[in-house]
Amino acid sequence: MMKIYLTFSIILFVTIAFPQSTEPIKLKRFSLGLAVSPDMAYINARESLSKNETPRLGITAGGSFSFDITKRFSAETGAAYSLKGYSSKSEYTVLTYGSEVLYEGESRFRQNLNCLDVPLQFNYVFFNGKCQLIVNTGVVWTHMFHHSQDFLVPTNGVETIRDWVTVLKLHTPYASNTISSTVGVGFRFAVSDRMSLNVIPTFQYAWIPINTNLMSNDVTPYSVRLSFGFKYSLF
């Protein structure tokens, strides 16, 4: 009896979540979209990184334009701002101004890579119901237009993010370009025949290393992000 009930429950869930329709669906080929994501950004380096280097929290936000080639397969491009980089920690740092010692003790450095991302991405969706599985892959051209470095010191002895304050910020208008690969698997929910929402965890890894005046090492940025998106079909 329990097996019959379990089998019936699974069939009912699949029927509700992924309903099949025999009515022809009019394909709306052109769509606009918006997406934002928190990123966990990090790097690979030509020289070995020490244990003091750690990932940092970044962000990606932008718009997209997509063309549905078939009911399931689409191509997408757009533009987005992204903040990449990494953090490092020093057990002992001395900050001086002339002969005066301004700070002495533990410190952190946060590398900020401000970038413009232009993706070319291909999407494939599974199932015909309101909730769809979506898989995507593609390439991203990244233009790093600015690099800065934050020097942080603790305001007290508590080890939390809010207890650190930026006391020095170094800037360099350094331009560099790289190409990345992306792959993502997530879900899309159809709000209506024109609007949909999606949640897609995505991995992005650069092929070409970059270097700036503030970094003594060639680094290859990569990130893992959780993308929240909105899509509106035009016609």
Side-chain angles (χ1 to χ4, degrees):
M1 184 68 181
M2 190 64 183
K3 291 182 179 180
I4 298 175
Y5 176 75
L6 182 60
T7 303
F8 176 77
S9 299
I10 294 173
I11 295 173
L12 181 62
F13 171 77
V14 172
T15 304
I16 295 174
F18 309 111
Q20 305 298 311
S21 175
T22 57
E23 297 179 4
I25 300 175
K26 184 179 180 181
L27 186 61
K28 297 179 177 62
R29 293 189 179 275
F30 298 95
S31 303
L32 296 177
L34 295 172
V36 63
S37 67
D39 302 2
M40 187 56 68
Y42 198 42
I43 57 166
N44 274 337
R46 180 184 56 190
E47 300 175 6
S48 298
L49 296 172
S50 71
K51 63 180 181 180
N52 294 326
E53 273 74 33
T54 58
R56 62 151 302 164
L57 183 64
I59 189 172
T60 299
S64 64
F65 174 80
S66 62
F67 175 75
D68 290 354
I69 300 171
T70 68
K71 187 171 61 176
R72 297 187 182 276
F73 184 65
S74 64
E76 182 177 317
T77 187
Y81 165 78
S82 66
L83 176 60
K84 310 179 192 297
Y86 66 99
S87 297
S88 60
K89 183 178 181 180
S90 175
E91 298 295 336
Y92 182 76
T93 301
V94 178
L95 180 63
T96 61
Y97 181 76
S99 59
E100 181 183 1
V101 177
L102 301 178
Y103 175 77
E104 185 176 359
E106 186 180 8
S107 66
R108 290 181 180 178
F109 291 91
R110 187 170 55 210
Q111 305 287 349
N112 309 304
L113 307 179
N114 297 273
C115 303
L116 171 68
D117 285 351
V118 179
L120 176 60
Q121 180 176 287
F122 298 95
N123 309 304
Y124 190 87
V125 297
F126 297 86
F127 311 120
N128 293 328
K130 284 185 173 293
C131 186
Q132 299 175 318
L133 177 69
I134 180 170
V135 177
N136 61 47
T137 187
V139 295
V140 180
W141 173 74
T142 296
H143 173 68
M144 189 192 72
F145 57 86
H146 186 265
H147 173 219
S148 65
Q149 184 183 85
D150 299 333
F151 176 68
L152 301 95
V153 298
T155 57
N156 54 45
V158 182
E159 275 286 322
T160 61
I161 294 175
R162 69 182 61 184
D163 295 311
W164 290 73
V165 61
T166 301
V167 296
L168 181 65
K169 197 175 187 74
L170 303 175
H171 297 268
T172 175
Y174 190 89
S176 181
N177 300 295
T178 187
I179 301 291
S180 305
S181 294
T182 64
V183 61
V185 180
F187 292 95
R188 174 181 293 171
F189 180 77
V191 179
S192 68
D193 63 336
R194 288 185 179 272
M195 292 186 293
S196 62
L197 304 174
N198 58 62
V199 180
I200 307 175
T202 303
F203 176 71
Q204 179 176 336
Y205 188 88
W207 302 345
I208 305 170
I210 59 176
N211 196 1
T212 77
N213 295 333
L214 296 182
M215 293 188 294
S216 60
N217 201 358
D218 287 338
V219 300
T220 304
Y222 67 90
S223 61
V224 178
R225 63 177 181 265
L226 182 60
S227 178
F228 299 91
F230 167 82
K231 180 181 177 183
Y232 183 82
S233 299
L234 299 174
F235 52 88

